[in-house]
Every structure is written in C-alpha cells, then in structure tokens.
Amino acid sequence: MNRRANDPALDPRARQLLRALIGRYIHSGEPVGSQTLARHAGLDVSAATIRNILSDLEEAGLLSAPHTSAGRIPTAQGYRLFVDSLLQVRPLPEGEVARLRSELPPGSGTQALLGSASELLSAMTHFVGVVSVPKREQFAFRRIEFVPLDAQRVLAILVFADQEVQNRIIQTRRPFEAGELERVGNYLNTHFAGRPVAEIRASLLLELRNAQSEMQALLAQSMELAEQALAPDGDDMVLAGQTRLMGVQELADLDRLRELFEAFARKREILQLLERTVRAPGMRIFIGEETGLAPLEGVSLVTAPYGAGGRVLGVLGVIGPTRMAYERVIPVVQAAADALGDAFLAGEGAVGEGE
C-alpha cells in the first residue's frame, strides 16, 4: 500500500493484542479496556499483564487514552501498523464483484461511468466515494467540427471515442470564413481521427515545419484552431455520499465537518492528493494527518488507480473516518478500480493507444 510507519519491534502477544483492540474499537466506537481484551483477545494472560502491554503500546505511540475513559483507542500510527502488517484482507465476494461490473457497463459514456462508480463506492462502504476524471487529452477524438459564431469567435464541437461531446469557444486572431473552417475540420478528421488529443498538437507542429508552401496555409490555420480546441481541460473529480459523514461519531464536531465539506467543494486539495496516488502503483491509504491536509486530519482515504490499455486514467477511492472497516473498504476500492478500468477498455477503443 503506501509508506509503512516506523514499526516498533512488537512481540507476537503485543501484536495480537493491538489487532484485537483495533478490531473491537472499529466495531464498537468505544475505548477498549483491559477487561474487554482479557475476554476477547484470545490470550491466556491476566488483565494486569494486558494493562502492562497496553501501557507499552501507548508509550510506543500506537494507542491513546481518552480523558473520559480508562480504555484506549488507536492513534493514526496504530492504524498504520494495523493496516500495513496486521490486517487480513480477503477478495471481494463474487456476487459483489458481479454487481460492480453490471452497474459499470462498457459503452455508458465516461461521465455516466464515473458517476456510477462514485455512487457504488459510497453505497457499498457507507462513506464518500470519489473518482478523479480522466484528462480528456488521454482519449482519442472521433470527429471535430468548427462553426463560426461571429467575427472572431468559433465554436469547436469535439466528439470523442468514449461517446463524450465537448463544445469549446475559440477566440481567433482573424475572422474565418465557413469554407476555411470546413477545410480545417476535414483535414483534422482525415489525418488525426482515432488518435489521442495529446499527440495531435505535436504532430501538427512537426508537419507545419516540414510542409511545402502550398500546405502551409492550411496547416497554419489548423494549428491556430487546434491549439485552443484541443487544449488540456481542467482537472475534476466526482464525489458521492458526502452527507453520510454527518452521522459519523468521530466527525461530530461541527467545525471539523464544515472544514471537510469546504474541502470537498474546493476539490483542489483532494485532487492534488489523488494526483500523488497516480504516480505510485497499487493501492494507497492515507490515515489522518498523513494526507498533509488539515481538513482531512480526522479521516482516512483509501485509493486505487484505474486505467485501460496500459495507461492510468485516474484514481478512485473512499473517504471515511479513521475508524473504518479497512478489511471491507480495501477490497471494494480495488474491485471498483478493476471494474471501471475494464469498462473503459471494453468501450471499443475509447482510450487512444497512440502510434
């Protein structure tokens, strides 16, 4: 997953006790005392011995004791050790995998797929589902048309191979006649349809440098229009289930909840966090302050990249309290990432492979 905490040299008895305590706390939400652990930890030791071990775990920074209780709860470092080396994760049952795949069918269109994925993540975990939107330049475009609006504004209509349509208004340096716009559109459709948008601008520049004089005018016009029409669009993400966090005991503080919802609305910080996970393979789990974002200090983020054709398109995940059932959330996130990637891959070449 992601970085491991400094793993204290715990003996098997301490590890079993820590695993049992965190499991009980995740289940009940109440601080766990030595008497409870004596009954449920499966250790043939006295409550006094358990208290001594708990004291050592607290000193190691893995547990803390709330002022109002004699019991203990895990710290972020305790959760980190639990997730990295004590947690046993089983694959998602086949029935739930089938549900994911049935509700993420190929050919649905990108926005529909992303919306369904975030809703499914939220419904299956009861927390917030989040999916980053793939950068549009990663997709092949199927067709482009230019429509004159007024003297120096042109409407570009782009149809992508994943069934998505984008309209962009271009500000031109000079007026374009309808015939010129038609010639540029025909040229781009003939030579570049089926190729990822990111490649087209570079190819046009190369062709413009190598063109004979009779082609230069058309290529220059194509370059001027394509630079704006095919420019990278802004990052975005799809969220679902934010209101589910309002009933979470650990997030009952209104100021903390408001900061969290403001971060959801801004999106920028969470998108930057998701971008960090794109660059690392496999699942990533951020617990509390590991996010580096003050509004997210009270939550955990479980993420996995999704992709198709050997390319990572984006990241999806679940945002919930640090006291979440990680053994349940982790396989849901991984299965959803696999299902979403397969839906894109089966979408008849929606993602351009390049040349």
Side-chain angles (χ1 to χ4, degrees), residues 107-144:
S108 301
T110 294
Q111 289 303 318
L113 278 175
L114 300 181
S116 295
S118 62
E119 292 284 357
L120 280 168
L121 285 167
S122 179
M124 295 177 75
T125 64
H126 305 292
F127 299 130
V128 178
V130 57
V131 185
S132 69
V133 176
K135 291 180 171 58
R136 187 47 47 187
E137 60 263 32
Q138 297 184 83
F139 289 81
F141 95 94
R142 181 170 291 165
R143 183 169 181 79
I144 188 168

Side-chain angles (χ1 to χ4, degrees), residues 78-216:
Y79 279 123
R80 170 52 57 198
L81 178 59
F82 174 72
V83 166
D84 283 347
S85 60
L86 303 179
L87 186 64
Q88 296 177 332
V89 177
R90 296 180 176 85
L92 201 64
E94 281 301 317
E96 295 188 66
V97 173
R99 174 191 173 188
L100 276 167
R101 295 188 178 279
S102 69
E103 297 195 37
L104 296 173
S108 301
T110 294
Q111 289 303 318
L113 278 175
L114 300 181
S116 295
S118 62
E119 292 284 357
L120 280 168
L121 285 167
S122 179
M124 295 177 75
T125 64
H126 305 292
F127 299 130
V128 178
V130 57
V131 185
S132 69
V133 176
K135 291 180 171 58
R136 187 47 47 187
E137 60 263 32
Q138 297 184 83
F139 289 81
F141 95 94
R142 181 170 291 165
R143 183 169 181 79
I144 188 168
E145 293 183 17
F146 297 102
V147 179
L149 295 178
D150 54 34
Q152 290 181 277
R153 289 195 312 154
V154 171
L155 173 65
I157 305 170
L158 292 95
V159 182
F160 291 89
D162 63 338
Q163 316 303 324
E164 294 297 312
V165 178
Q166 281 193 358
N167 297 322
R168 299 185 180 184
I169 295 178
I170 299 170
Q171 196 78 32
T172 61
R173 289 191 292 270
R174 67 168 181 84
F176 276 82
E177 296 179 1
E180 292 178 298
L181 296 175
E182 184 178 359
R183 283 194 297 275
V184 170
N186 289 339
Y187 178 79
L188 293 173
N189 292 327
T190 300
H191 292 83
F192 298 104
R195 293 176 62 177
V197 168
E199 294 181 5
I200 297 173
R201 293 186 298 274
S203 297
L204 276 171
L205 279 172
L206 181 62
E207 291 190 18
L208 183 58
R209 282 196 293 267
N210 297 331
Q212 299 298 320
S213 57
E214 63 268 20
M215 278 292 293
Q216 283 182 340

